[in-house]
Amino acid sequence: MTKTLNSVKTTALITGASTGIGATYADRLARRGYNLILVARDQKRMEALAERLRADTGVTVDILQADLTRSEDLATVEARLRGDERIGLLVNNAGMAAHGSYAAPDLEAWSSLISLNVTALTRLTGAVVPRFLAQGKGEIINIASVLALAPEMPLGPYAATKSFVVTLTQGLNLELGARGIYAQAVLPAATRTEIWERSGRDVNSLTGVMEVGEMVDAALVGFDRRETITLPSLPDAAQWDAYDNARKAMLPNFPQEHAAARYQA
Ligand SMILES: NC(=O)c1ccc[n+]([C@@H]2O[C@H](COP(=O)([O-])OP(=O)(O)OC[C@H]3O[C@@H](n4cnc5c(N)ncnc54)[C@H](OP(=O)(O)O)[C@@H]3O)[C@@H](O)[C@H]2O)c1
């Protein structure tokens, strides 16, 4: 599974690669021999990372500066994904959490949140999948969150954007897995990155925070195992299996000509 430095196989395009989880994926994938395309807004940070990774690993690293909430920038990244046949792995990592909760709605912030966490991820996936299908293979890593399963946490619509990512990834695998596409949803719990500070929260006030390197290394174990859902922090995988099996058990019962007895007036 692990690629060596001497057998470069493919290029990975990573969004949100200037820091945090995305920059850590860049490091780990470069060490596996992937050439890289880094996408984010902060050109200087990406240049510094690219320089280090080129020197440490010998892979090629391109930089695509883009604000993925801007449609023109997003179109540039989509075009690269459509046209560059060397790209075999898309890491949809760029994401944000917004300030506030449902009790204090900030509609502009919510729009940006959905643009980045939902629209950009979906459009980039849609841009690359037809080419992957034509080539008969392709890999997509989508960074979701345990909050996809935990609306109890008071982070407003952030959790809902991550539920979207989980469902999209499951659907991708179900529809296209047999045609050579592999998609993984990674659901990190609290991980030490700048996202907390950026959304006005203090990560040091939390317990159970994982270091970013450990989270990404665990997620890559799940990637190598071809998991659809990877929960790096969940101790007992049987809990996820029970949850998913309960969902699947409902499926044959959804289509009914009549409302359930409890809703009959
Ligand atoms: N850290 C956690 O506790 C945690 C837990 C669960 C899930 N996640 C998810 O993990 C992913 C990565 O988050 P992180 O924790 O690594 O956060 P981070 O440290 O804040 O990094 C976010 C990355 O996304 C980029 N980005 C932000 N807005 C962007 C935009 N408009 N256009 C392009 N790039 C943009 C940032 O770069 P620039 O500022 O240079 O653009 C940065 O590279 C996110 O999807 C997040 O929801 C994080």
Side-chain angles (χ1 to χ4, degrees):
M1 283 295 188
T2 304
K3 296 167 182 72
T4 65
L5 292 183
N6 297 324
S7 62
V8 171
K9 288 186 178 154
T10 191
T11 296
L13 184 145
I14 307 169
T15 68
S18 63
T19 184
I21 293 170
T24 307
Y25 266 101
D27 178 88
R28 300 307 196 262
L29 292 174
R31 288 174 202 287
R32 286 175 171 226
Y34 284 85
N35 294 315
L36 301 177
I37 302 169
L38 310 180
V39 179
R41 294 167 301 182
D42 191 324
Q43 177 90 13
K44 279 208 172 107
R45 278 180 129 178
M46 288 191 287
E47 276 168 8
L49 177 62
E51 202 171 309
R52 177 172 71 75
L53 294 179
R54 287 183 200 116
D56 286 358
T57 68
V59 302
T60 65
V61 186
D62 290 355
I63 290 169
L64 257 185
Q65 185 183 31
D67 180 340
L68 296 173
T69 64
R70 291 169 50 94
S71 53
E72 321 84 75
D73 290 12
L74 187 53
T76 306
V77 184
E78 289 169 22
R80 183 70 181 262
L81 285 166
R82 274 192 204 95
D84 188 341
E85 297 200 340
R86 294 164 301 183
I87 301 171
L89 170 61
L90 165 64
V91 184
N92 273 315
N93 162 77
M96 62 183 287
H99 288 255
S101 65
Y102 291 117
D106 178 341
L107 300 192
E108 291 314 311
W110 287 5
S111 277
S112 297
L113 180 80
I114 291 165
S115 294
L116 185 62
N117 294 13
V118 173
T119 306
L121 179 141
T122 305
R123 290 192 62 107
L124 296 180
T125 300
V128 84
V129 159
R131 185 172 58 69
F132 280 174
L133 285 175
Q135 293 179 210
K137 63 177 180 180
E139 298 167 324
I140 299 174
I141 298 173
N142 289 327
I143 307 301
S145 164
V146 289
L147 296 193
L149 312 175
E152 287 80 1
M153 298 296 290
L155 283 169
Y158 174 80
T161 68
K162 296 301 182 176
S163 304
F164 177 96
V165 174
V166 168
T167 304
L168 178 140
T169 308
Q170 290 170 315
L172 260 179
N173 264 330
L174 287 166
E175 186 186 329
L176 302 178
R179 297 175 65 189
I181 309 293
Y182 164 58
Q184 178 197 27
V186 178
L187 282 65
T191 307
R192 195 176 307 282
T193 69
E194 294 171 14
I195 200 169
W196 297 94
E197 198 184 328
R198 287 183 198 235
S199 59
R201 297 176 174 92
D202 179 9
V203 70
N204 295 316
S205 67
L206 305 173
T207 55
V209 178
M210 195 177 292
E211 296 302 326
V212 66
E214 184 164 348
M215 197 290 289
V216 172
D217 288 337
L220 284 168
V221 172
F223 177 77
D224 290 340
R225 289 183 184 152
R226 291 304 192 239
E227 291 181 348
T228 299
I229 302 294
T230 297
L231 285 146
S233 66
L234 185 71
D236 184 0
Q239 285 192 309
W240 164 262
D241 292 338
Y243 175 88
D244 200 39
N245 287 335
R247 181 188 65 77
K248 286 180 186 148
M250 285 190 288
L251 298 182
N253 300 325
F254 285 145
Q256 301 284 345
E257 284 180 20
H258 300 293
R262 68 186 176 284
Y263 299 121
Q264 305 272 358

